[in-house]
């Protein structure tokens, strides 16, 4: 953005776009590893869809009403689901040996 300070609407969208390349990268990696190691099961698929749904909800809240408290709760829940995905993959890999 050139000129004076960018408008708030553009700043919010820009920050949100930057967020899409932070934690979701860990999701892409765990999803790829789950598939390539043959550890796909209903539990992992359910967690993956839950993560996607929570990220969608986070986007809706962030770009809509931007209720910071609700946005943080959704963000935290998506992070917890991501941790569960990684732990589930680890346990599945350990059990496969």
């Amino acid at each position: 953005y050139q000129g004076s300070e960018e408008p708030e609407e553009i700043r919010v969208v820009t920050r949100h776009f930057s967020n899409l390349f932070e934690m979701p990268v860990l999701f892409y990696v765990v999803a790829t590893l789950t598939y390539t190691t043959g550890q796909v099961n209903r539990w992992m698929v359910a967690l993956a869809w839950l993560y996607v749904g929570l990220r969608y909800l986070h986007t809706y809240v962030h770009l809509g009403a931007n209720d910071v408290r609700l946005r943080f709760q959704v963000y935290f829940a998506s992070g917890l689901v991501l941790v569960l995905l990684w732990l589930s993959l680890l346990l599945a890999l350990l059990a496969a040996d």
Side-chain angles (χ1 to χ4, degrees):
Y1 189 80
Q2 295 180 358
S4 63
E5 188 174 320
E6 64 186 353
E8 179 63 22
E9 298 85 21
I10 293 175
R11 193 172 330 140
V12 168
V13 171
T14 302
R15 282 191 309 244
H16 186 72
F17 189 72
S18 294
N19 287 341
L20 291 177
F21 293 101
E22 293 170 358
M23 269 191 18
V25 171
L26 295 173
F27 171 75
Y28 305 144
V29 172
V30 74
T32 303
L33 285 173
T34 300
Y35 177 74
T36 57
T37 58
Q39 302 302 320
V40 178
N41 57 43
R42 289 176 191 248
W43 169 250
M44 296 293 280
V45 171
L47 285 175
W49 277 112
L50 179 59
Y51 181 79
V52 170
L54 287 169
R55 290 303 298 179
Y56 177 80
L57 181 59
H58 182 263
T59 297
Y60 181 79
V61 171
H62 193 196
L63 299 180
N66 199 17
D67 179 348
V68 175
R69 184 174 166 188
L70 177 59
R71 194 175 90 211
F72 175 76
Q73 290 171 345
V74 173
Y75 181 81
F76 183 79
S78 70
L80 183 61
V81 170
L82 189 58
V83 168
L84 285 173
L85 271 166
W86 276 99
L87 287 175
S88 296
L89 177 61
L90 176 65
L91 292 173
L93 290 172
L94 290 174
D97 284 347

